[in-house]
Amino acid sequence: MLRIFLLLLAVLSPAVFADNSAMSALQITTNPDGSQEYSVTLQVLAMMTALSFIPAMLIMMTSFTRIIIVLAILRQAMGLMQSPSNQVLTGIALFLTFFIMAPTFKQINDQALQPYLKEEMTSLQAFDAAIKPMKAFMLQQTRVKDLETFAEIAGHPAVASNADYPITIVIPAFVTSELKTAFQIGFMIFIPFLIIDLVVASVLMAMGMMMLSPMIVSLPFKLMMFVLVDGWLLVMGTLANSYGIGT
């Protein structure tokens, strides 16, 4: 991502790079190993531009997708259209994501961020080091079938290990696996509430109360059952355990 931005900047602004004396902050330095390092001002500009990709990265490269889908299915299964609100569900999903991703974020901090801040590695080296823990996390949650499917679509040759797949293949395969897992968990959550709806609808029909909505009558029973079984703890614990947290 950073390389693409810098490449576009170099193509669109050749005059800037051709005359470094005109703007001394924008400089490109060639390292002895052949790699290139960019001036601090240009790095800050690239980082500020990359901030626009953070929401997409948070959604597509972490546990956020699975969590928010499961919570949305739970709300629909209970028959609550507006409570909890979207802001509450997003907040719950966000902080649960931070909890689940904490070990991965710690690796990124230790292996990439801190060495970069101490000037022990270049920005591109830090970027490559930060990708490795994220890639390892995604591969742990990605089905082999999904990886192979996207590798076949991309025309990528066979690899000896899943870790050899490029990040461009791992991300869509990870998202696909997350969607499938989220719907599987959501299905299991939906079943108990569906049974309550069926029982209430059958009782109301047997009593001849066809004008009364079964959703209104079943809602208190579903809420009572959810509270009695400590449903929020079960859902949160299931989501965390699905990523191996606590095992």
Side-chain angles (χ1 to χ4, degrees), residues 139-180:
L139 285 173
Q140 290 177 354
Q141 309 300 328
T142 305
R143 294 174 175 82
V144 176
K145 179 181 179 181
D146 295 333
L147 277 172
E148 294 176 347
T149 299
F150 281 97
E152 182 179 354
I153 294 174
H156 193 277
V159 295
S161 173
N162 291 338
D164 296 332
Y165 284 113
I167 193 69
T168 53
I169 292 178
V170 174
I171 292 178
F174 169 74
V175 174
T176 304
S177 295
E178 286 293 279
L179 290 174
K180 182 176 181 179

Side-chain angles (χ1 to χ4, degrees), residues 103-172:
T104 303
F105 290 158
K106 185 178 184 301
Q107 292 182 26
I108 294 175
N109 180 68
D110 295 340
Q111 300 175 13
L113 180 58
Q114 292 303 322
Y116 174 71
L117 295 177
K118 295 177 182 178
E119 300 183 354
E120 296 176 357
M121 61 173 56
T122 65
S123 58
L124 296 181
Q125 290 174 340
F127 177 80
D128 292 336
I131 284 295
K132 292 180 181 179
M134 290 297 301
K135 185 177 178 181
F137 168 80
M138 290 187 288
L139 285 173
Q140 290 177 354
Q141 309 300 328
T142 305
R143 294 174 175 82
V144 176
K145 179 181 179 181
D146 295 333
L147 277 172
E148 294 176 347
T149 299
F150 281 97
E152 182 179 354
I153 294 174
H156 193 277
V159 295
S161 173
N162 291 338
D164 296 332
Y165 284 113
I167 193 69
T168 53
I169 292 178
V170 174
I171 292 178

Side-chain angles (χ1 to χ4, degrees), residues 27 77 79 92 96 107 112-113 121 156 159 169 187 193 208 210 225 231-233 247:
Q27 295 181 350
I92 294 173
L96 189 56
Q107 292 182 26
L113 180 58
M121 61 173 56
H156 193 277
V159 295
I169 292 178
F187 172 78
F193 298 106
M210 301 180 184
M225 181 199 71
W232 285 113
L233 182 61
T247 58

